[in-house]
Amino acid sequence: MSPVDSEADTDAEGAAWDRLAGLLPEPAAGEVRDCRAIGEQEAGLGLLLGGLLAYGVVLDGTTRAELSVLTETWGERESLAVRLTACADTGAPSPVRLLPADETDGESADETAGEIDGESDDASGDPVGSVRVPWIACDRCGATLLRIHTREPWGEPSYLAEAYVVGDRSWDMAADAYAALLACSLPA
């Protein structure tokens, strides 16, 4: 079952898959598209990132962020983060960028964005025992997309995020929060 809720979301995600697969030469691009077509998105993301590395595809910050959101949507962000980080970067200015892993691990999240303990933090409304993990920054407006994770009994943030926050707004879906971040980064 797809983690998207509407036909419009499916169309937007399909367009993103086609665009991202198009970064690869054929037949590798076709293999990525085929994985999505048969419902094997997780395998397709692995093929896509493996292909980007194998073919030396250079990514800009927006494409890198979009890939991270897509991997998050399908529960593969953590397992594919090393490959995404290893992809070459254009170095060109981009409206959004992934924050470095050392800024987004559990300890840095506590220092940078704050750990939430108790019933709820009145300012955030985050769930009890959650931690905000900075993820994607907008270089135009200065906003940051945060992942909200529960704190596991052993102290680390949970594997999957519970919600996504930009400013004072919260979303259940990473793609929706990312779209809001992009909207704030568009020139007026």
Side-chain angles (χ1 to χ4, degrees):
M1 174 95 181
S2 170
V4 293
D5 295 326
S6 72
E7 190 173 314
D9 288 340
T10 302
D11 291 344
E13 185 180 322
W17 274 86
D18 285 341
R19 185 176 56 261
L20 294 168
L23 297 172
L24 300 175
E26 291 297 341
E31 291 173 359
V32 170
R33 288 183 187 104
D34 289 347
C35 283
R36 182 178 188 274
I38 64 169
E40 292 293 334
Q41 286 83 350
E42 296 86 350
L45 289 167
L47 285 174
L48 175 60
L49 285 164
L52 294 172
L53 285 170
Y55 292 105
V57 177
V58 181
L59 303 175
D60 64 20
T62 302
T63 302
R64 191 178 302 277
E66 182 178 27
L67 278 163
S68 186
V69 170
L70 194 57
T71 60
E72 173 77 6
T73 298
W74 289 98
E76 297 293 311
R77 184 190 47 76
E78 276 196 26
S79 63
L80 296 174
V82 171
R83 288 189 204 173
L84 182 56
T85 301
C87 290
D89 191 332
T90 64
S94 179
V96 294
R97 64 183 164 80
L98 284 179
L99 294 171
D102 61 343
E103 290 181 35
T104 62
D105 65 17
E107 273 185 49
S108 294
D110 292 344
E111 296 165 10
T112 309
E115 181 176 356
I116 311 302
D117 286 319
E119 284 299 311
S120 176
D121 179 42
D122 291 334
S124 72
D126 293 340
V128 173
S130 65
V131 61
R132 292 175 160 226
V133 180
W135 181 24
I136 302 171
C138 175
D139 287 336
R140 290 192 180 156
C141 71
T144 299
L145 170 53
L146 307 165
R147 295 186 321 269
I148 307 300
H149 293 264
T150 56
R151 173 79 61 198
E152 296 291 357
W154 53 89
E156 296 294 319
S158 59
Y159 181 73
L160 297 174
E162 300 292 321
Y164 306 90
V165 173
V166 177
D168 61 355
R169 295 190 57 207
S170 175
W171 293 265
D172 293 332
M173 303 283 295
D176 294 339
Y178 180 64
L181 184 69
L182 284 177
C184 83
S185 70
L186 296 175

